[in-house]
Amino acid sequence: FRRYLLTALTSCLFWNTFGLSAAMDSKPNILLFLADDLGIGDIGCYGNNTIRTPNIDRLARGGVKLTQHIAAAPLCAPSRAAFLTGRYPIRSGMASSNRYRALQWNAGSGGLPANETTFARLLQQQGYTTGLIGKWHQGVNCESFNDHCHHPLNHGFDYFYGMPFTLLNNCQENKPPELDVALQAKLWLYAQIISLAVLTLTAGKLTGLISIRWKIIACFTLAGSLFFISWYSSYGFVQYWNCILMRNHDVTEQPMRLERTASHMLKEAVSFIKRNRHGPFLLFVSFLHVHTPLFTTAKFLGKSRHGLYGDNVEEMDWMVGKILDSLDKEGLKNHTFTYFASDHGGHLEAQDGSAQLGGWNGIYKGGKGMGGWEGGIRVPGVFRWPGVLPAGIVIDEPTSLMDIYPTVVHLAGGILPQDRVIDGRNLVPLLRGRAQKSEHEFLFHYCGSYLHAVRWHQKDSGAIWKAHYVTPVFHPLGAGACYDRGFCPCFGEGVTHHDPPLLFDLSRDPSEAKPLSADTEPLFDAVIRKIGRAIEEHRRTLTPVPEQLSFYNVVWKPWLQPCCGTFPFCWCDKEGDSTQSL
């Protein structure tokens, strides 16, 4: 019996090791889910017992859950740029020094620069078929309406179906406009000033009081016309300019019909998996859920206990389940590395009267738009790879959305770029239990291009120190958000600078409720000095790059407008009613 038992144990160990080795040696399919504006407290596996998310929860039960997963920025466009490149947004120019912290138009000239290398590009080079379904929000064109310099297909994706921009209230009828009101006011002011200048110069030229060439007056007139058209378009045409769907380079819906968008996205994701079932493939499912206007199909309306927002979360979870089911149907579950996260924290200021239209960030202070407070940057992070990653494991180590970049490149057998700084770290050893500590010692928390806070993982003691140098001024005071405006600002009168900085130990105070001081924390001065030296070293690694979110780059330019007709008559519906319910 003893000999039989020893033989059986040896055989079992051999086959487990061999099977695991074989799984690791082959290139897995990679499925990445990224929600939009989802709070860490909105899903069941992170403690929510009132919104039903059974499919995301089963991912967590079958894999690894991270409890300290950090976005590199608290807003969509810069956070996604960091996710795609493994680099802080300030390195690619996707961090703003002005109040326009995200792209405003499909017809802006800013976006993820062509010289940035995404993980999709590196996996493409390793023989992967790469697809993006859903939201992009990294720009489209640079100099002409069809140069596609920022387009997903120019950044390593073989296939794109989705929204090149982001959802806005403007995309749905009878919703209050969401495009920046201050931008509209500035466009109108510039148009008035330039028009007045043109009239003055023309009158002076005709009366002989001013010596000026007509070409100069014509240039002023052209500039004034551009500002006027941008202002006018920002009121009546946002739905046509921004709310569009594309398949690869072709516009298929302009404007998009929200009542069938979720069905389109789901059909495309399932179809991509089926077409590429022989792999390897990378599928990035970038949800339009749960960003306002929270358009939800009739099947889910009124079904949750948290109003329209809860309905939208539950619809997204159902879509996750359908896509996971398609993996099972094709026999790919055990050969697919799956990841679920959100691009940043929930939007606290998103309200309609007493109805909350943004997410819940659990015990964490702050939310979307706040670069330092945990609620703006701590997000869900769930991984599953049956047979390779352990099931039901929780890891409370600092990790970043930027870590996905080196992680998937490692799994694909690729090599990281050697000509630039990569801020992400390979998570495979941590996820498999081969490492007990995160490789991150410091994480830098930016709001736009302004450094608001720094996290120090003191590995020998287990402390997670966090120093806040700048914090937003909440309105009303103590409310936890900036309810007098859409987002908390990064600079100016709406922020407070702290010297010495506010210091917290997140391992003891994850809610950042009680700042430490030299009187209450013996290590206060030493910790602040250590973090200060880390900031100096970090800043030495930064190099100047063109700012992609400058006013010039975010302003609407008619010659860059994606259009499925003859501009300005841009409308089409190439999808028709072909989408079947799934």
Side-chain angles (χ1 to χ4, degrees):
F1 174 78
R2 188 175 300 169
R3 181 181 301 171
Y4 171 79
L5 181 62
L6 181 61
T7 303
L9 288 173
T10 304
S11 176
C12 181
L13 179 62
F14 171 79
W15 284 110
N16 282 342
T17 302
F18 177 79
L20 181 60
S21 176
M24 289 299 294
D25 287 343
S26 62
K27 295 179 179 180
N29 301 310
I30 295 171
L31 173 59
L32 308 176
F33 294 111
L34 192 64
D36 196 1
D37 288 17
L38 180 73
I40 192 172
D42 288 330
I43 51 182
C45 56
Y46 282 88
N48 193 308
N49 57 10
T50 58
I51 296 180
R52 293 164 296 187
T53 56
N55 297 294
I56 300 170
D57 297 345
R58 69 170 157 128
L59 266 183
R61 286 194 304 272
V64 179
K65 182 178 76 172
L66 304 179
T67 62
Q68 201 175 159
H69 200 40
I70 308 298
L75 279 181
C76 308
S79 175
R80 290 161 183 270
F83 176 73
L84 288 161
T85 64
R87 290 152 51 82
Y88 287 108
I90 197 168
R91 298 193 192 278
S92 61
M94 291 295 284
S96 172
S97 61
N98 58 58
R99 57 186 308 275
Y100 304 111
R101 296 161 57 189
L103 299 169
Q104 302 289 310
W105 299 95
N106 275 324
S109 53
L112 189 64
N115 62 358
E116 287 292 327
T117 303
T118 67
F119 56 68
R121 173 74 67 205
L122 295 179
L123 266 64
Q124 199 177 50
Q125 294 170 0
Q126 294 301 311
Y128 276 71
T129 301
T130 57
L132 167 59
I133 309 297
K135 172 176 173 172
W136 175 238
H137 207 193
Q138 298 294 302
V140 182
N141 299 310
C142 290
E143 297 179 355
S144 68
F145 74 94
N146 61 356
D147 66 33
H148 300 124
C149 67
H150 301 305
H151 190 278
L153 267 59
N154 200 42
H155 278 295
F157 289 99
D158 296 308
Y159 183 74
F160 169 61
Y161 179 83
M163 197 175 183
F165 196 60
T166 183
L167 276 181
L168 297 165
N169 275 349
N170 308 72
C171 297
Q172 186 176 347
E173 302 290 347
N174 304 318
K175 290 285 186 178
E178 194 175 344
L179 197 68
D180 194 345
V181 175
L183 175 61
Q184 293 173 332
K186 184 175 287 188
L187 291 170
W188 176 236
L189 175 63
Y190 288 167
Q192 288 178 306
I193 292 173
I194 295 174
S195 297
L196 182 61
V198 168
L199 290 174
T200 302
L201 293 173
T202 301
K205 174 73 172 178
L206 293 174
T207 59
L209 295 176
I210 300 176
S211 177
I212 189 171
R213 299 171 63 184
W214 284 113
K215 285 184 177 180
I216 297 177
I217 296 177
C219 288
F220 273 98
T221 303
L222 180 63
S225 300
L226 175 60
F227 281 110
F228 176 79
I229 293 172
S230 296
W231 167 79
Y232 182 73
S233 296
S234 70
Y235 282 92
F237 294 91
V238 174
Q239 193 174 15
Y240 286 87
W241 299 155
N242 281 346
C243 306
I244 69 175
L245 290 180
M246 298 182 77
R247 177 176 282 105
N248 296 326
H249 290 145
D250 298 325
V251 179
T252 62
E253 283 187 13
Q254 191 167 14
M256 59 198 288
R257 292 176 55 181
L258 293 179
E259 67 272 14
R260 63 190 192 189
T261 299
S263 183
H264 279 323
M265 299 298 176
L266 180 54
K267 177 184 175 183
E268 288 286 339
V270 170
S271 176
F272 183 90
I273 291 172
K274 186 174 182 178
R275 289 197 311 270
N276 298 286
R277 60 187 177 275
H278 300 298
F281 65 77
L282 160 71
L283 176 57
F284 176 20
V285 180
S286 179
F287 287 107
L288 303 181
H289 299 65
V290 289
H291 197 292
T292 50
L294 299 175
F295 189 91
T296 307
T297 55
K299 179 179 179 180
F300 292 92
L301 279 177
K303 298 299 175 63
S304 82
R305 295 165 58 183
H306 285 280
L308 185 59
Y309 182 82
D311 297 344
N312 205 241
V313 173
E314 292 188 0
E315 181 176 50
M316 178 190 66
D317 178 80
W318 173 79
M319 294 173 69
V320 169
K322 286 293 186 182
I323 296 169
L324 294 178
D325 289 346
S326 73
L327 284 182
D328 293 347
K329 182 179 179 181
E330 301 298 338
L332 299 175
K333 174 181 175 180
N334 293 342
H335 196 59
T336 302
F337 177 86
T338 303
Y339 167 75
F340 178 90
S342 177
D343 55 358
H344 49 69
H347 189 185
L348 301 180
E349 294 90 350
Q351 296 179 325
D352 183 8
S354 61
Q356 180 64 32
L357 301 181
W360 181 49
N361 300 314
I363 66 172
Y364 304 109
K365 182 182 292 186
K368 177 179 179 178
M370 304 181 210
W373 294 121
E374 288 291 283
I377 55 177
R378 192 182 288 223
V379 297
V382 176
F383 297 83
R384 186 189 74 177
W385 187 4
V388 178
L389 302 184
I393 299 299
V394 178
I395 296 176
D396 188 26
E397 286 285 302
T399 59
S400 169
L401 264 69
M402 297 184 292
D403 296 339
I404 301 308
Y405 185 96
T407 300
V408 299
V409 171
H410 169 80
L411 293 175
I415 299 174
L416 294 177
Q418 302 299 305
D419 61 344
R420 63 198 65 194
V421 176
I422 301 296
D423 298 298
R425 299 291 183 266
N426 178 13
L427 290 177
V428 171
L430 188 66
L431 296 176
R432 294 186 62 198
R434 300 294 177 86
Q436 301 305 311
K437 297 292 183 181
S438 164
E439 289 188 31
H440 290 288
E441 184 176 10
F442 296 96
L443 286 170
F444 302 91
H445 307 307
Y446 282 91
C447 186
S449 61
Y450 302 89
L451 185 64
H452 275 204
V454 179
R455 177 184 317 246
W456 175 30
H457 181 205
Q458 191 178 9
K459 299 180 185 181
D460 56 350
S461 70
I464 307 287
W465 304 103
K466 187 160 166 218
H468 288 260
Y469 295 87
V470 183
T471 57
V473 177
F474 294 144
H475 184 86
L477 289 177
C482 301
Y483 292 105
D484 58 333
R485 57 182 90 198
F487 302 104
C488 288
C490 295
F491 62 94
E493 296 180 356
V495 303
T496 300
H497 294 263
H498 301 281
D499 187 13
L502 301 179
L503 183 66
F504 300 90
D505 179 1
L506 299 181
S507 64
R508 292 178 286 168
D509 181 19
S511 300
E512 299 173 289
K514 299 177 181 178
L516 303 170
S517 68
D519 295 329
T520 61
E521 175 53 62
L523 296 176
F524 183 89
D525 291 331
V527 169
I528 296 302
R529 285 195 299 271
K530 177 76 171 181
I531 293 176
R533 289 193 295 270
I535 293 172
E536 293 175 3
E537 184 176 339
H538 167 68
R539 284 178 170 157
R540 283 195 291 269
T541 70
L542 302 178
T543 56
V545 292
E547 188 172 316
Q548 297 297 319
L549 302 176
S550 66
F551 180 74
Y552 173 79
N553 278 335
V554 301
V555 75
W556 183 73
K557 301 174 180 66
W559 60 90
L560 299 183
Q561 179 62 50
C563 182
C564 62
T566 302
F567 184 83
F569 306 105
C570 301
W571 59 78
C572 65
D573 181 5
K574 298 179 183 179
E575 298 295 340
D577 294 317
S578 61
T579 301
Q580 303 295 319
S581 59
L582 296 174

